[in-house]
Amino acid sequence: MLHRFANPARFGRIIAAILPWGAGASVLLLALGLYLALFVVPPDYQQKETVRIMFVHVPAAWMATMIYAVMALASAVALVWKHPVADLSAKAAAPIGAGFTFVALATGSLWGQPMWGSWWVWDARLTSVLILFFLYLGYIALWEAIDDPARAAKAAAILALVGAVNVPIIKFSVDWWNTLHQPASILKLSGSTIHASMLYPLLVMIAGFTAFFVTVLIIRMQRELAARRVRALALGGSADS
Amino acid sequence: MFAGNDLTCIRGERVVFRGLDFVAAPGVALVLQGPNGAGKSSLLRLAAGLLTAAEGALTWNGTAITQDPDAHSACLVYVGHLDAVKPALTARENLAFWSRLGGGPAEVGGALESLGLGPLADVRTRLLSAGERRRLNLARLALRPAKLWLLDEPTVSLDAASVALFAALARAHLGAGGLIIAATHVALDLPGRVLAMRSNARAA
Amino acid sequence: MNAFARIFARDASLAFRHGGGAGLAVAFFVLTVTLFPLGIGPETQILERVSAGVVWVAALLATLLSLDRLFQADYEDGSLDLLALAPLPLALVVLAKCAAHWLTTGLPLLIAAPVLALLLNMDAGGLGALVLAMLLGTPILSIFGAIGAALTVGVRRGGVLLTILVLPLYIPVLIFGVCAIEGAISGLGARPHLLVLGALLLGALALGPWAAAASLRLNLD
């Protein structure tokens, strides 16, 4: 099953076929999600209109975590099965994940201002997302720092796996730290009791962000595959293989 | 008999060589020759087990080294183009560390003498010249009887007298039925065969 | 095991002989901690409040400072090749080097920490927890640091990159290390935090050397 997609040329054709569907789905879902979030959902009795920020913040934070998981999975595939496009997909995913992480941080900060009267609060979730952002930066920096793409791919894959093992531990420690230092009473960014009228727009936004991620990932991977072909040609070899 | 069959070496995204065969027999040095980039150092690192071949196999009398990599690294001495010498330690301390790491004795005076380093044994190696450091690296060859010597330009920065000392050591090793694979451009007057390597710049 | 002891002894003696190793890390530690009262003022109450955090943060930074040479020197002079060929799995070579790094960095920091804590007016009830937490925590710092050092060996400006890669991984150690001290001072007890640190140490010992060895192997290329 796996090696059917391993051939970069065939893989290129498959992702090119998915691209228009992904692009269409992201436009539709994001338009629908934003419409629901901005116009249909009633203002919260406590948070008023600012609750609408949640429809960007929560999906972005969710994507940030999910993309890191995708990167770790792709890295494991690259290390174990030496799959030729797995490391490229991890590389292509990282800046998108970092982008979502940044969006989650920025919206969290914007939300915090009216809620807590401060642009930044050391809330457990925001702090975890901030650390995730640093993990993304380290991963991207490692790719940039190593000249030999094959070696960079393997080093980055090991780092992604080490990070993936540590992310739950970091999350656990930050939650622990937060409960010890801020005994309750402050409003958490994601209410665990979300009303159904809010849940659907949220799910639509998550689906839209996922489609957007897939679309951008494909575009970035096409670039990476093309760049690899250029490097191969520069060394005088055949374009495929 | 140490042999490589149909070896392909890829470093980075570049094919260093493809479909390379060699046989190293006891008593005869296999001398690697070829232009820069032909893969002499890569082949030596491959033979040492530091690199893994993209394709092909290295075998001892037909048994692949991947069957027991530890046994393979135990029976070889690799001398790379870096000298693996710690400037803060004396020549004797440097060599004794490598000796004991390989399970040998702490006493290394004999090995130092064999490359003419006796008088420098207790000098911090930061004070040694490039040629003296190289001899210290080569002295690892005299530590313990290892079947296979893998030598990457062993005579770089050696003077004529030191080259002669080294050649005598190598001749004794071959005479005792040892194997040598060496990349060198200096005629060492050893019983040897040449493996000509071509430059091969192709992408993976 | 013999080979393990050899590598440990060599790295430790090299660190001491260079003079730099242990002394520099402790000097950095002391100086960094000294900067805090100068930065935030000499009020003993404030210093007492921040003492645990300051000591731990300074210890993390001091550890980082010494990490970039962990494999770099052996990589540059070719020793790494020979260590990889030694009759010892590369993961154990890494572990031996980590142990030597801890002996020459973590242990001196551990000894200096209570003195610095007193300078910051830390409650005497927290000193025992500080030492225990550092005893469990500093080896984790060496092992996680080894992964970062192995990944950045042979990379230009690897030292800065190493910092970015490793510091996020140090966060749990920082949190539980500080919480242990504060738990001991407040009377809630340091035990749960120390147990978590112990668990982290076991996890790091089990997985860290393999991750670092895999990274080193890349750089033998």
Side-chain angles (χ1 to χ4, degrees):
Chain A
M1 183 63 190
L2 207 55
H3 61 262
R4 278 184 54 206
F5 302 106
N7 179 329
R10 179 182 294 136
F11 184 83
R13 284 196 297 277
I14 293 171
I15 59 173
I18 299 173
L19 182 60
W21 295 96
S26 19
V27 171
L28 283 177
L29 287 166
L30 286 177
L32 176 65
L34 284 175
Y35 170 74
L36 290 174
L38 295 180
F39 301 108
V40 177
V41 170
D44 188 79
Y45 77 98
Q46 202 181 4
Q47 306 181 36
K48 307 283 182 318
E49 300 290 343
T50 53
V51 75
R52 303 187 195 285
I53 297 176
M54 186 187 78
F55 294 99
V56 177
H57 172 76
V58 172
W62 198 82
M63 291 303 293
T65 320
M66 192 203 70
I67 293 173
Y68 203 89
V70 168
M71 267 168 48
L73 196 68
S75 302
V77 170
L79 280 181
V80 176
W81 288 290
K82 314 230 182 310
H83 189 290
V85 287
D87 50 10
L88 287 188
S89 58
K91 182 187 184 188
I96 313 174
F100 276 118
T101 316
F102 184 76
V103 168
L105 287 173
T107 52
S109 164
L110 288 175
W111 196 4
Q113 219 291 322
M115 294 307 303
W116 300 311
S118 157
W119 289 109
W120 181 262
V121 172
W122 291 94
D123 156 84
R125 171 198 278 274
L126 275 182
T127 310
S128 298
V129 173
L130 180 62
I131 296 167
L132 189 61
F133 187 59
F134 295 145
L135 288 175
Y136 273 117
L137 287 189
Y139 179 87
I140 296 169
L142 187 62
W143 260 107
E144 295 299 321
I146 303 178
D147 294 323
D148 170 2
R151 192 192 295 184
K154 284 188 201 143
I158 293 171
L159 179 68
L161 287 179
V162 169
V165 170
N166 275 281
V167 161
I169 300 171
I170 293 173
K171 177 92 178 86
F172 168 68
S173 68
V174 168
D175 286 347
W176 181 297
W177 161 81
N178 201 248
T179 47
L180 280 185
H181 285 276
Q182 287 178 329
S185 86
I186 70 153
L187 194 63
K188 291 274 185 277
L189 273 190
S190 67
S192 53
T193 51
I194 294 177
H195 194 268
S197 68
M198 291 177 142
L199 185 62
Y200 291 118
L202 205 54
L203 290 177
V204 173
M205 284 300 290
I206 288 179
F209 274 12
T210 309
F212 176 78
F213 164 63
V214 170
T215 308
V216 180
L217 181 68
I218 288 175
I219 295 171
R220 290 185 54 84
M221 286 191 69
Q222 286 176 334
R223 272 186 40 197
E224 291 291 338
L225 286 168
R228 184 149 83 178
R229 213 145 39 221
V230 168
R231 287 198 301 270
L233 287 170
L235 282 168
S238 64
D240 285 306
S241 111
Chain B
M1 191 86 91
F2 181 65
N5 297 314
D6 197 23
L7 292 170
T8 298
C9 176
I10 299 176
R11 295 183 77 174
E13 292 176 324
R14 179 178 160 195
V15 177
V16 184
F17 49 74
R18 197 191 285 280
L20 185 122
D21 296 292
F22 74 85
V23 176
V28 186
L30 182 65
V31 178
L32 311 179
Q33 285 184 349
N36 299 135
K40 301 184 294 288
S41 295
S42 296
L43 179 58
L44 287 166
R45 293 179 72 80
L46 216 59
L50 290 168
L51 297 184
T52 36
E55 275 166 51
L58 290 155
T59 54
W60 275 107
N61 301 322
T63 313
I65 62 166
T66 46
Q67 301 257 328
D68 191 353
D70 294 341
H72 177 62
S73 35
C75 73
L76 67 85
V77 178
Y78 169 77
V79 178
H81 56 268
L82 295 168
D83 288 329
V85 163
K86 292 289 171 204
L89 302 180
T90 66
R92 190 191 300 282
E93 286 169 329
N94 265 300
L95 196 57
F97 169 70
W98 295 118
S99 170
R100 294 166 82 180
L101 188 65
E107 173 47 47
V108 293
L112 287 168
E113 290 293 345
S114 69
L115 278 149
L117 287 167
L120 298 170
D122 296 308
V123 174
R124 294 270 169 105
T125 44
R126 86 161 45 87
L127 302 172
L128 297 189
S129 73
E132 287 160 345
R133 286 174 195 223
R134 179 101 275 221
R135 271 146 67 196
L136 182 54
N137 191 9
L138 289 169
R140 288 189 296 114
L141 296 167
L143 283 177
R144 63 189 167 101
K147 232 187 300 181
L148 174 62
W149 290 6
L150 298 168
L151 313 172
D152 198 350
E153 300 288 356
T155 54
V156 166
S157 62
L158 291 190
D159 55 23
S162 307
V163 171
L165 281 176
F166 164 69
L169 208 61
R171 259 194 302 278
H173 175 64
L174 291 173
L179 288 80
I180 292 179
I181 304 178
T184 177
H185 289 102
V186 178
L188 287 173
D189 189 23
L190 297 174
R193 285 185 308 108
V194 170
L195 179 71
M197 300 181 72
R198 287 176 296 109
S199 166
N200 182 359
R202 284 180 61 82
Chain C
M1 213 53 205
N2 186 36
F4 184 92
R6 296 282 156 242
I7 295 171
F8 172 76
R10 163 178 173 267
D11 266 42
S13 79
L14 276 175
F16 284 121
R17 207 174 294 197
H18 270 303
L24 274 182
V26 172
F28 178 87
F29 187 40
V30 173
L31 270 169
T32 313
V33 170
T34 312
L35 290 180
F36 277 87
L38 297 173
I40 54 185
E43 292 89 344
T44 48
Q45 275 167 336
I46 298 177
L47 290 179
E48 187 184 348
R49 172 70 192 81
V50 298
S51 57
V54 167
V55 170
W56 262 108
V57 169
L60 297 192
L61 297 179
T63 309
L64 268 183
L65 201 66
S66 56
L67 277 172
D68 64 330
R69 297 306 293 168
L70 188 57
F71 300 116
Q72 191 69 21
D74 283 333
Y75 173 77
E76 281 167 4
D77 69 14
S79 299
L80 200 57
D81 290 340
L82 304 184
L83 289 173
L85 293 173
L88 185 72
L90 195 53
L92 288 180
V93 174
V94 169
L95 197 59
K97 292 181 78 71
C98 285
H101 178 261
W102 181 80
L103 184 79
T104 55
T105 310
L107 188 62
L109 294 182
L110 170 67
I111 293 167
V115 181
L116 292 175
L118 286 176
L119 281 184
L120 294 175
N121 286 86
M122 184 187 283
D123 189 295
L127 292 181
L130 169 67
V131 172
L132 279 176
M134 286 196 74
L135 192 61
L136 291 167
T138 44
I140 308 177
L141 303 184
S142 293
I143 294 170
F144 279 171
I147 301 176
L151 283 171
T152 53
V153 95
V155 170
R156 61 198 134 75
R157 296 183 62 75
V160 182
L161 181 59
L162 169 69
T163 315
I164 295 168
L165 299 188
V166 168
L167 271 182
L169 305 181
Y170 280 1
I171 287 169
V173 177
L174 171 68
I175 289 175
F176 290 108
V178 172
C179 286
I181 300 166
E182 292 181 347
I185 294 173
S186 69
L188 290 171
R191 195 177 142 81
H193 307 99
L194 293 175
L195 287 177
V196 175
L197 276 179
L200 284 177
L201 175 57
L202 289 179
L205 277 172
L207 298 176
W210 272 265
S215 318
L216 279 183
R217 228 168 248 298
L218 294 179
N219 291 304
L220 296 178
D221 237 358

